[in-house]
Amino acid sequence: MSLIVRTIVKKRDGGELSEGEIRDFVAGVTNRTVTDEQAAALLMAICCRGMTTAETAALTFAMMNSGETWDLSPHGFVADKHSTGGVGDKSTLVLAPLLAACGVKTGMMSGRGLGHTGGTLDKLEAIPGFVTGQSKEAFDRLVEKVGCALIAATDTVAPADRRLYALRDVTGTVESIPLITASILSKKLATGAHAVVFDVKTGNGAFMQKPEDAHTLGRALVDTTRATGRKASGYVTAMDRPVGIAVGNANEVEESIRLLRGDGPADLRENVLLLGADLLLAAGVADTEKEARRRLNASLQDGTALEAFARVIAEQGGNPAVCDDLALLPQPAAKHEVKAAAAGTVRRVATRELGLLSIEIGCGRARKEDVVDPASGFRVFRKTGETVAAGEPLLVVELGPRTQLPKGYLERVAACFEIGEGAGAEPALPFVVEKL
Ligand code: URA
């Protein structure tokens, strides 16, 4: 029996893999001596049998070391954040320039939409001219000159994850906490930040729908990052309703710019302050959470965060004038209101379904080759716990110039809102479900 088959059989039968067995597997994935079938079999065995904390850490480090590992120490202290994503989650767009304005450098490598969730890269690319595909040299220049870089993953970072992720996508092995932990952290740790804050979403619009699963993933992310000697903190936050009002790409950039101007929805502001305060504390820029929040709020109000965003846009090839003139962002060609049929309280928003419906109008891709229509999206006016009068808009569908309204679409959007009788109620989840 070959080494890899022995490893597969051991995990299939519930055994604990050694660091060496995990390292050999990842090396074989990277140099392609392990076949797709063998890799998929081990992934399925891990998915069914799970992994111990030590196995998860070994897998993370082996995957991290499958490619380049970046040393950011020439830049001084560099921070990063990771969100597990959801619908309307645009915190990176605000947080990166806001931290730069507060004197904390960030280097963020973001992804595209995955499943029903939006992707930071698609949002950034809604800004005319913005280039997310940047080299390591450009990344270094951006971190040094602007104080933040907003780039796409390069081919050189964690190549084992790229192959394993593609296999997981087609073998029903995405939803495994050890595999998700290793996938996220192999990339995060390889890019060398000195402190990371994690935002693990939970609720019906999150990958981890149950708070207990979000807790387990969050603990694994924070503890494994700390085990590397870096600072880490995290939160489980609500994704049983979209974050903010805008869902899409250009409209999420617009909402982010509004917050950078000191305006913008309260839940998005709270999300950004929560994560940002941890990183200001980690960087030693503030001594208390109160002081950190005061500094962050001041930068949102005095225009310095917005100036930092304009600088990063300009440095990455985009038109910084969007910060002053929101009409320069891609605009919808048509709008359709979805109104409440009767008065009542919103009991539930089917957030995952809303995300999937947004993909249908071009906010993301159902297939890899699909093209995003940056001007398409939603404005969500009512969320869980809020009251609505009969005939009031729950949501507005915005269609970009390349997009037609799909058949029966407005009825399907309306069905995402469960409205009950009676007065307002608390949302099912508080915004901050848990500090990890
Ligand atoms: N994001 C990742 O990078 N990997 C996963 O497995 C899930 C989300």
Side-chain angles (χ1 to χ4, degrees):
M1 205 188 281
S2 73
L3 217 63
I4 177 66
V5 176
R6 249 186 304 202
T7 303
I8 295 167
V9 168
K10 187 171 175 187
K11 183 45 77 182
R12 181 199 68 191
D13 295 343
E16 178 169 355
L17 303 181
S18 70
E19 197 183 327
E21 285 164 332
I22 292 171
R23 227 184 303 115
D24 288 345
F25 165 64
V26 173
V29 168
T30 312
N31 65 24
R32 299 203 164 253
T33 52
V34 168
T35 66
D36 280 355
E37 293 81 358
Q38 290 168 328
L42 186 55
L43 290 170
M44 184 55 83
I46 293 170
C47 205
C48 297
R49 292 291 192 172
M51 277 185 142
T52 63
T53 306
E55 285 176 299
T56 305
L59 182 63
T60 302
F61 298 137
M63 285 167 61
M64 171 184 93
N65 288 319
S66 68
E68 286 178 2
T69 52
W70 295 355
D71 174 14
L72 302 186
S73 45
H75 300 299
F77 183 90
V78 181
D80 199 355
K81 80 115 208 197
H82 181 84
S83 164
T84 58
V87 180
D89 180 3
K90 54 197 78 76
S91 59
T92 295
L93 273 62
V94 183
L95 191 59
L98 176 57
L99 289 169
C102 292
V104 178
K105 291 177 181 166
T106 58
M108 299 208 189
M109 201 182 249
S110 301
R112 302 210 173 267
L114 185 67
H116 67 284
T117 68
T120 300
L121 297 181
D122 296 326
K123 297 173 210 222
L124 288 168
E125 288 171 3
I127 300 169
F130 197 100
V131 179
T132 57
Q134 301 280 348
S135 64
K136 169 66 169 44
E137 290 67 36
F139 176 91
D140 282 329
R141 184 174 44 76
L142 286 158
V143 171
E144 205 46 46
K145 190 169 166 193
V146 189
C148 71
L150 294 165
I151 72 164
T154 67
D155 290 345
T156 53
V157 169
D161 179 62
R162 194 154 311 112
R163 183 161 175 225
L164 289 177
Y165 197 88
L167 284 171
R168 286 167 60 209
D169 207 20
V170 293
T171 57
T173 53
V174 169
E175 288 90 358
S176 152
I177 289 175
L179 293 178
I180 294 174
T181 304
S183 170
I184 291 172
L185 284 186
S186 59
K187 292 171 288 201
K188 255 317 128 199
L189 301 180
T191 50
H194 303 106
V196 188
V197 64
F198 294 95
D199 186 5
V200 182
K201 302 288 188 193
T202 194
N204 66 46
F207 285 113
M208 297 287 129
Q209 299 212 349
K210 293 192 223 140
E212 56 270 32
D213 289 341
H215 168 87
T216 307
L217 175 61
R219 272 267 59 91
L221 292 169
V222 170
D223 293 345
T224 312
T225 304
R226 284 182 183 157
T228 67
R230 296 163 219 238
K231 293 182 179 176
S233 62
Y235 297 89
V236 175
T237 64
M239 185 44 76
D240 62 340
R241 63 262 189 193
V243 180
I245 293 168
V247 173
N249 290 297
N251 64 1
E252 291 200 33
V253 174
E254 180 198 311
E255 189 165 270
S256 302
I257 292 173
R258 288 191 193 283
L259 181 51
L260 287 163
R261 287 177 180 174
D263 199 357
D267 57 347
L268 177 61
R269 177 185 279 255
E270 178 53 26
N271 199 182
V272 166
L273 294 179
L274 190 70
L275 306 177
D278 273 22
L279 293 177
L280 256 57
L281 290 170
V285 163
D287 293 328
T288 62
E289 190 192 332
K290 194 168 166 204
E291 162 67 2
R293 282 180 172 253
R294 194 197 59 71
R295 289 193 66 148
L296 292 164
N297 270 317
S299 295
L300 290 174
Q301 297 307 134
D302 68 13
T304 49
L306 186 65
E307 276 167 30
F309 195 41
R311 268 202 308 279
V312 74
I313 292 173
E315 286 292 325
Q316 293 198 220
N319 180 2
V322 295
C323 291
D324 298 321
D325 184 359
L326 294 170
L328 294 174
L329 289 165
Q331 298 295 317
K335 296 184 186 185
H336 301 270
E337 274 188 344
V338 174
K339 295 178 179 164
T345 299
V346 179
R347 301 286 175 204
R348 182 175 187 273
V349 178
T351 312
R352 183 173 184 279
E353 285 70 19
L354 265 188
L356 290 170
L357 283 161
S358 78
I359 308 293
E360 269 188 57
I361 56 167
C363 298
R365 300 168 193 78
R367 291 162 306 161
K368 234 171 69 198
E369 55 280 11
D370 288 350
V371 179
V372 166
D373 192 340
S376 282
F378 299 145
R379 307 267 175 178
V380 185
F381 294 122
R382 287 290 186 283
K383 300 197 202 171
T384 323
E386 294 176 356
T387 51
V388 63
E392 271 184 344
L394 294 164
L395 182 150
V396 169
V397 176
E398 300 177 336
L399 295 176
R402 293 202 291 269
T403 306
Q404 300 293 319
L405 193 68
K407 206 157 172 277
Y409 191 78
L410 299 179
E411 292 73 17
R412 286 188 284 141
V413 172
C416 290
F417 292 83
E418 194 182 304
I419 297 174
E421 288 177 9
E426 285 298 307
L429 291 171
F431 187 73
V432 180
V433 177
E434 182 191 357
K435 177 162 172 60
L436 291 161

